[in-house]
Amino acid sequence: MDYTDLYINGTWHKTADRFDVINPATEEVIASVASADIADADAALDAAEKAMADWAVRTPRARSEVLRKAWELMTAQLDHFAHLITLENGKAGADAKGEATYAAEFFRWFAEEAVRADGMITHAPASRARIIVQHKPAGLAVLITPWNYPAAMGTRKIAPALAAGCGVIIKPASETPLTMLALMPLLEEAGVPPGLVNVLPSRKTGALVDHMLHDPRVRVVSFTGSTGVGRKLLKSAADQVLKPAMELGGNAPVVVLEDADMDTAIDGTMLAKMRNLGEACTAANRIYVHESIADEFTKRLTDRMSALKMGDGTDPSVDVGPLVNADTRNKVAEFVTDAVAKGAKIECGGTVPEGKGYYYPPTVLSSVPEHADCVQDEIFGPVAAIQTFTDQEEAIRRANNTEYGLVAYVFSADFKRALQVCERLDYGMVGLNRGLVSDPAAPFGGTKQSGLGREGGHDGMLEFMETQYISASW
């Protein structure tokens, strides 16, 4: 069965209004998908409200077992989900398999966290009262996911919401709705009751989401995407004082100190830059290398980037696939053109290839000036923009000189020195001598304009819970 309709109350609903999902490698239509409207949103909210009434009072262990089963089922189908991710997102097969594995792991982690919503009982210090603190499900949650991780950005929200006892409505990105829809039969088999999880793909995103955020039954909004859209959602969420969990944009600096191990720095930068072809808010955006090692670093990174094979991600020999759509590819090309016009040098790549598909080659730019557009904004593509610095203080200052604060990366063989640099970086996460920070067991999130709240770790479940305090005497 092709899962291309709305998923409401455990059943599939066709709509007259539909939109096409495009394979970015071939520019061909993969599927026609149902587009939800306001009436569909109301039906999903009704279903979630009813299902949550039972789910919220189930024991934490009962909820945990369902999530554990979801992990087992998804783990058994990793190749299936990886293929689907590649078809609609474009990422290479190995990268897609990595995402599917990461996505499944959220079910296992939050299966374990579901039984750990610990409260406390203590004596009030100035009276005879007892202070009782407990955590309760916050209410219905609207989950809005991006196109760059069609599976993982959904499970990173679904799993903690279910662990907390909440019902959810998911609005997947219009570019990549198929993976999330395909996950629903798996959740059914795992034991998720009808109505608890609903999926509403739509090309009327703004009106649909705004309507749901103004429904009094909704108490949480969780969004991953651009800072601009996040600001708009926060304004809508303010009308009902919803709990917001916002994972927004980034402008990640990589700081390579002069004492860094070169192999570690190159490996880590490659991972931070090229995971998901750079289409990630955690992707390395500004690469600051100490001037004494910049020539060697640039040559070695250029050699590695030049060796990557570009093509259709369904080919197992391909390292990097296409970008998700023409707009994304064109924006990346504009960043390179702007940087070169301002003095940057192309070390490799830098030209849009001919033919079908939204491809852009792995590209290395050296001598990138601070006022280049790619330094000021997210590249969201396979372009490594290298700059140099002369001393540690300069590197820290330049790394912090952005409105974003999601993630930074530091490479140094001196662990004490590296930790001191990390602590002075105004970022929610730092990768120290590694190019990957994402982990279901860790609190993922940023500072400044990069968002509010955390996903993953124990904090991720608390985003879907309210703290209740009871003052008691006995």
Side-chain angles (χ1 to χ4, degrees):
M1 176 180 178
D2 292 329
Y3 302 107
T4 58
D5 297 324
L6 309 182
Y7 185 76
I8 302 172
N9 201 25
T11 60
W12 298 94
H13 296 258
K14 294 185 178 299
T15 62
D17 187 19
R18 303 181 76 85
F19 61 92
D20 291 337
V21 177
I22 306 298
N23 182 338
T26 64
E27 301 184 40
E28 296 174 351
V29 175
I30 305 170
S32 173
V33 175
S35 181
D37 60 19
I38 299 301
D40 299 314
D42 287 337
L45 290 166
D46 291 343
E49 180 185 33
K50 182 178 179 181
M52 183 181 162
D54 171 70
W55 181 256
V57 297
R58 291 195 189 187
T59 65
R61 178 62 67 197
R63 298 198 295 263
S64 171
E65 292 298 330
V66 171
L67 290 168
R68 175 77 183 191
K69 182 65 173 178
W71 170 73
E72 293 172 352
L73 291 171
M74 191 169 184
T75 300
Q77 300 179 43
L78 292 180
D79 289 337
H80 166 68
F81 281 101
H83 180 69
L84 194 53
I85 291 167
T86 295
L87 286 181
E88 63 177 350
N89 170 272
K91 67 181 69 176
D95 206 352
K97 182 73 170 287
E99 181 192 339
T101 304
Y102 174 58
E105 191 64 24
F106 283 103
F107 288 127
R108 178 161 65 165
W109 172 258
F110 284 106
E112 296 164 347
E113 287 301 293
V115 298
R116 295 183 174 85
D118 298 333
M120 72 171 188
I121 300 177
T122 187
H123 289 270
S127 72
R128 297 181 182 277
R130 300 293 194 273
I131 295 172
I132 303 171
V133 178
Q134 61 182 348
H135 301 290
K136 302 173 66 176
L140 299 188
V142 172
L143 315 178
I144 308 162
T145 61
W147 49 258
N148 56 344
Y149 287 93
M153 296 302 94
T155 61
R156 192 164 78 177
K157 300 177 189 300
I158 295 168
L162 298 192
C166 296
V168 303
I169 298 92
I170 306 162
K171 166 57 184 73
S174 298
E175 291 89 349
T176 57
L178 301 176
T179 302
M180 193 49 50
L181 290 168
L183 184 65
M184 294 305 105
L186 182 151
L187 295 185
E188 286 181 16
E189 186 177 351
V192 173
L196 192 66
V197 179
N198 305 272
V199 185
L200 301 181
S202 180
R203 58 180 176 181
K204 305 166 186 172
T205 299
L208 189 80
V209 170
D210 188 69
H211 176 77
M212 290 191 288
L213 297 192
H214 286 89
D215 189 294
R217 294 169 293 183
V218 172
R219 297 310 311 148
V220 180
V221 54
S222 179
F223 169 71
T224 299
S226 72
T227 295
V229 175
R231 292 188 186 110
K232 294 178 181 178
L233 289 174
L234 283 169
K235 289 178 181 178
S236 292
D239 290 340
Q240 288 209 109
V241 196
L242 303 184
K243 282 176 64 75
M246 298 277 160
E247 194 268 281
L248 306 178
N251 188 357
V254 178
V255 178
V256 184
L257 298 172
E258 69 272 20
D259 60 3
D261 177 83
M262 188 62 71
D263 290 338
T264 300
I266 293 295
D267 288 345
T269 301
M270 282 293 296
L271 180 57
K273 176 71 261 182
M274 295 303 293
R275 183 170 177 245
N276 197 33
L277 200 62
E279 294 176 304
C281 50
T282 56
N285 209 65
R286 299 167 291 148
I287 303 174
Y288 299 114
V289 185
H290 191 274
E291 60 183 7
S292 65
I293 60 171
D295 289 346
E296 180 185 359
F297 181 93
T298 300
K299 182 181 184 307
R300 290 182 62 172
L301 187 67
T302 300
D303 290 344
R304 289 281 296 275
M305 293 279 275
S306 300
L308 296 175
K309 180 179 178 180
M310 184 173 64
D312 190 326
T314 59
D315 179 348
S317 68
V318 163
D319 299 305
V320 294
L323 294 164
V324 72
N325 55 35
D327 287 345
T328 301
R329 189 264 315 276
N330 294 342
K331 184 178 179 182
V332 171
E334 289 168 6
F335 276 134
V336 173
T337 299
D338 171 80
V340 172
K342 292 174 179 174
K345 177 185 176 183
I346 297 177
E347 301 288 345
C348 69
T351 303
V352 176
E354 296 181 357
K356 290 286 188 179
Y358 309 123
Y359 293 98
Y360 197 86
T363 298
V364 175
L365 301 176
S366 61
S367 303
V368 179
E370 194 72 11
H371 63 290
D373 291 347
C374 66
V375 175
Q376 305 302 319
D377 197 3
E378 281 188 287
I379 300 171
F380 239 63
V383 177
I386 300 175
Q387 301 175 271
T388 62
F389 66 90
T390 57
D391 64 71
Q392 180 175 301
E393 292 302 311
E394 177 194 359
I396 293 171
R397 177 184 59 78
R398 289 166 66 186
N400 284 335
N401 186 28
T402 175
E403 67 180 6
Y404 300 105
L406 187 62
V407 62
Y409 303 91
V410 175
F411 293 91
S412 171
D414 184 335
F415 194 68
K416 178 181 177 180
R417 178 191 185 191
L419 278 178
Q420 290 172 338
V421 172
C422 290
E423 290 178 353
R424 293 180 60 194
L425 293 173
D426 191 3
Y427 291 83
M429 302 175 289
V430 182
L432 175 52
N433 289 327
R434 56 184 289 116
L436 178 66
V437 297
S438 302
D439 191 305
F444 187 104
T447 62
K448 298 187 286 187
Q449 299 289 318
S450 286
L452 300 167
R454 293 295 183 266
E455 295 187 308
H458 186 67
D459 300 45
M461 183 173 67
L462 295 181
E463 296 290 346
F464 296 92
M465 306 190 89
E466 292 285 8
T467 300
Q468 183 183 56
Y469 148 58
I470 301 172
S471 180
S473 297
W474 58 79

